[in-house]
Amino acid sequence: MINPNIFLMVIPFLVAVVFHEVSHGYVAYKLGDNTAKFAGRLTLNPVAHIDIFGTIVLPAILIIAHSPILFGWAKPVPVNFFNLKKPKRDSAIVAAAGPTTNILLAVLFAIIYRISLFLPASFIQQPLMITCLYGVQLNLIFAFFNLIPILPLDGGRILAAFLPPKWAYNFSKLEPYGIYIVIALLFLGIFDFIFTFFVLPLSSILLS
C-alpha cells in the first residue's frame, strides 16, 4: 500500500525544482542573458518546466515503489553563458542561484512549520506540518546534490569558474560523461551521504 504522506511531497517537490530552474534563468537575465526569458522559462507555472521523465515518470515510479522520498528534476533552463557581462564570474553566480534558492526555500518552509505548531489542532495542521517537513528536506537535498562539483551540476559550473583557464578547459571536457559519474555516485550511496551529513543536521537546526 502506498504511503499517503508521499503525496504531501508533491507540492514541495514542484516548488523545489521550479524555483531552482527559474532562479537560474532570472539571475542570468539580470546579468545580460535573455535566453530563458525568450524561451518563456521565467515563469513559476510548473507546466513550462516539466521534464517528462524527471518531473513525471521518475517521481511516479518512486511513489509506486514506496520510496520514502521523491526525487527528480525539471527541464533545465537554457542559459547562453557568452551573453553574460562577465562570463567566467557570472556563470558561477548563475549556477549558485539554484542551490541558494533551495536553501532559502528550506528556511521558508521551516518558518511555516514553526508557525503551524501554534495553530489549533485540526485536520489542516498535521498535513501542513508534514508538507513543510518535506519542504525543508527536499530543498536541502536539491541544494547539496546540485553542489556536487561535477559537470553539468551547479557545483561543477561553480568549480569551473574558479579554475585556471587550462584546468577549466580540461575539466569541461568531462561534462559529456558527468551524468554517468552522477549515476555511479547514486549507486554508491551519495544520497545517503548527503542526507546523513547535511540534510539531517540542518533540518534539525531549522526545525528544532
Side-chain angles (χ1 to χ4, degrees):
M1 181 178 177
I2 295 175
N3 181 356
N5 282 345
I6 199 167
F7 293 104
L8 297 176
M9 293 185 191
V10 173
I11 291 178
F13 168 76
L14 289 175
V15 168
V17 297
V18 169
F19 274 78
H20 180 100
E21 293 301 331
V22 171
S23 67
H24 284 315
Y26 181 75
V27 171
Y29 171 65
K30 287 296 185 181
L31 293 174
D33 178 41
N34 295 323
T35 307
K37 180 178 175 62
F38 290 151
R41 299 295 303 280
L42 299 187
T43 173
L44 296 178
N45 182 352
V47 175
H49 304 282
I50 287 177
D51 177 275
I52 297 299
F53 184 79
T55 318
I56 298 176
V57 176
L58 179 58
I61 291 173
L62 293 175
I63 290 174
I64 294 170
H66 306 280
S67 169
I69 195 74
L70 276 185
F71 187 72
W73 54 84
K75 186 166 53 177
V77 164
V79 176
N80 186 339
F81 294 103
F82 293 105
N83 287 338
L84 299 173
K85 297 171 184 176
K86 296 183 178 180
K88 188 174 179 66
R89 182 204 68 180
D90 292 349
S91 63
I93 296 174
V94 171
T100 301
T101 296
N102 287 128
I103 291 172
L104 293 175
L105 285 170
V107 173
L108 178 60
F109 274 110
I111 291 172
I112 298 173
Y113 175 88
R114 290 180 178 229
I115 292 173
S116 70
L117 294 174
F118 298 96
L119 294 176
S122 66
F123 69 95
I124 294 176
Q125 184 192 38
Q126 186 174 7
L128 178 60
M129 291 174 64
I130 294 172
T131 299
C132 289
L133 174 63
Y134 286 142
V136 171
Q137 294 184 342
L138 283 171
N139 276 285
L140 290 176
I141 288 172
F142 273 95
F144 287 101
F145 178 79
N146 277 284
L147 284 173
I148 296 173
I150 298 171
L151 291 171
L153 297 180
D154 298 326
R157 302 210 180 278
I158 294 170
L159 174 60
F162 287 95
L163 292 175
K166 185 177 180 180
W167 289 18
Y169 173 73
N170 290 330
F171 181 58
S172 69
K173 292 194 290 186
L174 297 175
E175 184 165 356
Y177 312 101
I179 186 62
Y180 303 108
I181 298 173
V182 171
I183 291 172
L185 289 174
L186 291 175
F187 278 106
L188 291 172
I190 189 66
F191 264 136
D192 292 337
F193 176 83
I194 291 173
F195 200 80
T196 301
F197 291 97
F198 296 100
V199 176
L200 279 181
L202 287 174
S203 294
S204 297
I205 293 172
L206 290 173
L207 298 170
S208 63

